Amino acid sequence: MTGLPDKAPQGFSRWRARTARATAAGYNDSMKVLFLHGWQSVPGGVKPSYLAQHGHEVINPKLPDEDFEEALRIAQVEFDRHRPDVVVGSSRGGALAMNLDSGDTPLVLLCAAWKKHGTARTVKKNTTILHSPAEDVVPFADSEKLVRTSGLPASALVEVGGDHRLADPEPLAAMLRACERPAAARRG
């Protein structure tokens, strides 16, 4: 996207977590994560806090609920400003992540609501999708379809958790692994 301002719009707020602990050299080196929250969620929730508690810098902007295009503009400004190592999108935030101009930056999508929001209908090859088959907000079949239409291997879809929030220990750990995997691969 071009023509975006260098500064966030007036009245814009951003929650930004600092790393909470030193990381083990060579294994869990700190990454910069852009976390895009879902509809009616707020910055600083369980998932971005979990990433910060595990040593990562988390950029978690406040995104408007009722204006997808404005939320996408804000997300793009934050992406362009911070150049994160990975973009995580939860529910509607997953649709935002899919619609970002993010080059080859890996995506981690959590129950992405891509059929309800935005125009992107496929994802890039370095995308991991976490979704609970038991959740009742975004159908699990939507993520299965996204994997197929994007030509991703079946392993790109991780079945985890018992509800839409993915805020229990097992899905949180899976999200952390999905974020750290691309960085570990780049380090060789």
Side-chain angles (χ1 to χ4, degrees), residues 5-169:
D6 288 335
K7 294 185 177 182
Q10 197 131 19
F12 171 78
S13 65
R14 172 178 52 229
W15 178 87
R16 187 168 177 173
R18 293 290 177 190
T19 56
R21 65 173 176 76
T23 58
Y27 169 68
N28 187 19
D29 293 335
S30 180
M31 295 185 331
K32 196 178 293 187
V33 179
L34 175 59
F35 190 96
L36 305 174
H37 66 77
W39 186 69
Q40 295 191 333
S41 292
V42 295
V46 172
K47 293 178 285 260
S49 295
Y50 184 85
L51 293 169
Q53 290 163 0
H54 284 81
H56 302 298
E57 179 182 350
V58 179
I59 296 92
N60 187 200
K62 178 161 180 45
L63 304 168
D65 284 336
E66 302 307 325
D67 188 341
F68 186 84
E69 290 305 315
E70 178 64 7
L72 181 58
R73 190 190 70 71
I74 291 167
Q76 190 68 56
V77 166
E78 293 300 309
F79 179 88
D80 293 343
R81 178 179 295 140
H82 297 285
R83 293 294 176 191
D85 299 301
V86 65
V87 177
V88 179
S90 180
S91 193
R92 179 176 175 258
L96 287 166
M98 289 173 61
N99 284 272
L100 272 181
D101 180 9
S102 60
D104 63 354
T105 301
L107 301 180
V108 176
L109 306 178
L110 313 173
C111 303
W114 61 273
K115 281 190 161 184
K116 295 179 184 177
H117 304 283
T119 59
R121 296 295 178 251
T122 60
V123 292
K124 51 192 160 184
K125 66 178 180 161
N126 54 351
T127 298
T128 302
I129 302 166
L130 280 64
H131 204 130
S132 171
E135 77 121 314
D136 61 357
V137 177
V138 175
F140 184 77
D142 288 1
S143 287
E144 291 175 314
K145 181 177 182 177
L146 186 57
V147 166
R148 281 191 312 275
T149 59
S150 299
L152 297 176
S155 62
L157 176 57
V158 179
E159 295 183 28
V160 67
D163 62 20
H164 183 69
R165 291 191 64 231
L166 298 183
D168 297 322

